[in-house]
Amino acid sequence: MSPRINAQLAFLNEADRLKQVLRATTLVDGSRRENSGEHSWHLALYALVLADHAAPGVNIDRVVRMLILHDLVEIDVGDVPIHSANGQAHGSEATRAAEAAAADRIFGLLPPDIGQDLRALWEEFEAAESPDAVFAKSLDRVQPVMANLMSGGGTWVEYNVTAEELESRVGVKVARGAPRLWEHVRGLTRAFFAG
Amino acid sequence: MSPRINAQLAFLNEADRLKQVLRATTLVDGSRRENSGEHSWHLALYALVLADHAAPGVNIDRVVRMLILHDLVEIDVGDVPIHSANGQAHGSEATRAAEAAAADRIFGLLPPDIGQDLRALWEEFEAAESPDAVFAKSLDRVQPVMANLMSGGGTWVEYNVTAEELESRVGVKVARGAPRLWEHVRGLTRAFFAG
């Protein structure tokens, strides 16, 4: 028995729990809430399909890797909806500290060389400064917009979100990494917020 | 409104349906069946974590791309469990023809340049000949073994699978792309099949 393979498999078994972390957003058909595992898959597909919206020099394969990893800390912390607590809970100091502790535990299950590489990618995503991370964040913000549009409003209804709040909490960050995409999707949201 | 962006988003909305395709395999904790969207995410994570089991020259980023795409045809065809119909249904001519028609429809939603690239990757995965595809297939076969091990037997119990059937339907294909991994995991399965 190889301790290294045991550590790799222990991490992958633990990661399975992300399939049970529920997000505020529903599936496109509104039938149930989305979990963070399938959300991460959908975002990786977003990156492959919307690659032509990324800034020059963005490495889509690194973006995909970030998106696969980006929510693992939610196994311990849960999902913090972007529009909850009037938009104040997401990204708070308390949330960030809990997520860092979760990253210590979860990436710490891996052999150190692998754990350090994946942890570094997660931290790059969280920092949202590198071009790859900025594009990854854009996709993470735009995918729930599409789900809300398709399902009749979703979390916008649940949290009484206005067009201005959508722009400041979501649109600005989508536009930062994928400006043409946000211009298009914002156009799609007008009918909902005019209604 | 850009027809190209509309096509990209229409494909991504349609892909959402993969989250509702249920597989025979359960989550690691046995609480419910796994869906093909979250399964695809888990496999992409398998590729990142188990990259050191791939043959020299395997491009892990291409493997990840294949794994993200590999089950999209199930939106139309559903999942065909590997152990169902005494191991005869999976990979049958009828299944392959249905999956090719599904690929025509689903990848055909995309702008042609993107659709052709993704379709080619899916066909490479299905052919299971290139080193990247062989490794991707190994991961697709080993992940349900881990879920069955963790959940007390899972589909092995449901379909009365023997150790010999596991070896011929699953083990041979895991070993083809990741021999050390299968040696380790086969060892883990001995306790179950001896029981």
Side-chain angles (χ1 to χ4, degrees):
Chain A
M1 285 294 139
S2 152
R4 181 174 173 89
I5 304 181
N6 277 333
Q8 288 167 310
L9 295 175
F11 170 86
L12 290 167
N13 285 336
E14 179 70 10
D16 197 80
R17 294 174 60 198
L18 194 62
K19 302 169 188 170
Q20 300 196 62
V21 173
L22 293 184
R23 296 167 41 80
T25 311
T26 67
L27 301 192
V28 158
D29 73 358
S31 58
R32 64 164 172 81
R33 291 189 186 270
E34 185 186 39
N35 73 60
S36 292
E38 63 199 6
H39 163 72
S40 299
W41 163 75
H42 207 180
L43 288 185
L45 191 63
Y46 265 66
L48 297 186
V49 165
L50 296 169
D52 59 354
H53 291 272
V58 165
N59 180 331
I60 293 298
D61 289 311
R62 292 189 80 247
V63 170
V64 168
R65 288 175 177 238
M66 281 181 200
L67 292 169
I68 291 166
L69 299 171
H70 82 293
D71 271 346
L72 280 170
V73 294
E74 294 184 358
I75 290 171
D76 287 358
V77 179
D79 180 62
V80 181
I82 195 97
H83 297 298
S84 65
N86 203 24
Q88 300 302 304
H90 192 95
S92 70
E93 279 301 312
T95 300
R96 284 185 178 276
E99 289 180 345
D104 289 345
R105 184 186 76 76
I106 295 166
F107 293 119
L109 296 171
L110 283 163
D113 58 319
I114 304 174
Q116 284 158 16
D117 282 356
L118 299 194
R119 169 89 188 232
L121 267 177
W122 175 74
E123 289 185 353
E124 182 178 336
F125 174 83
E126 283 295 304
E129 290 167 3
S130 74
D132 294 350
V134 167
F135 186 61
K137 285 270 182 186
S138 291
L139 301 178
D140 190 29
R141 294 296 166 101
V142 81
Q143 183 253 10
V145 173
M146 294 309 300
N148 282 353
L149 275 171
M150 297 293 291
S151 63
T155 57
W156 301 331
V157 176
E158 183 174 1
Y159 293 111
N160 294 307
V161 176
T162 66
E164 292 70 29
E165 286 165 344
L166 179 67
E167 187 63 29
S168 65
R169 293 175 193 164
V170 173
V172 169
K173 292 183 183 176
V174 179
R176 192 169 164 227
R180 285 186 302 120
L181 180 64
W182 182 242
E183 185 184 341
H184 184 99
V185 173
R186 182 171 48 196
L188 299 177
T189 68
R190 285 208 184 101
F192 175 84
F193 286 102
Chain B
M1 283 293 142
S2 152
R4 182 175 173 88
I5 303 181
N6 277 334
Q8 289 167 310
L9 295 176
F11 170 86
L12 291 167
N13 286 337
E14 179 70 9
D16 197 79
R17 295 174 59 198
L18 194 62
K19 302 168 188 171
Q20 299 196 63
V21 174
L22 293 185
R23 295 166 43 78
T25 311
T26 67
L27 301 192
V28 158
D29 73 358
S31 59
R32 64 165 171 80
R33 293 190 186 270
E34 186 185 39
N35 72 60
S36 293
E38 63 198 4
H39 163 72
S40 300
W41 163 76
H42 207 180
L43 287 185
L45 191 62
Y46 264 65
L48 297 186
V49 164
L50 295 169
D52 59 356
H53 291 272
V58 165
N59 181 331
I60 292 297
D61 289 312
R62 291 189 82 246
V63 170
V64 168
R65 287 175 178 238
M66 283 182 200
L67 291 169
I68 291 165
L69 300 171
H70 82 293
D71 272 345
L72 280 170
V73 294
E74 294 185 358
I75 289 170
D76 288 358
V77 180
D79 180 62
V80 181
I82 194 98
H83 297 298
S84 64
N86 203 27
Q88 300 302 304
H90 192 95
S92 70
E93 279 302 310
T95 301
R96 284 185 178 279
E99 289 179 347
D104 289 344
R105 185 186 75 77
I106 296 165
F107 293 119
L109 296 170
L110 284 163
D113 58 320
I114 304 174
Q116 284 157 16
D117 282 355
L118 300 194
R119 169 91 189 229
L121 267 177
W122 175 74
E123 289 185 352
E124 181 178 336
F125 173 83
E126 284 295 304
E129 289 167 5
S130 75
D132 293 351
V134 167
F135 186 60
K137 285 271 183 186
S138 292
L139 301 178
D140 190 29
R141 293 297 167 100
V142 81
Q143 184 253 9
V145 173
M146 294 309 301
N148 282 353
L149 274 172
M150 296 295 290
S151 63
T155 58
W156 301 331
V157 176
E158 184 174 0
Y159 293 111
N160 293 306
V161 176
T162 66
E164 292 70 30
E165 287 166 345
L166 179 68
E167 187 62 29
S168 64
R169 293 175 193 164
V170 173
V172 169
K173 292 182 183 176
V174 180
R176 193 169 163 226
R180 286 185 301 119
L181 180 63
W182 181 243
E183 186 184 340
H184 183 100
V185 173
R186 183 171 47 196
L188 299 177
T189 68
R190 286 211 183 97
F192 175 83
F193 286 101

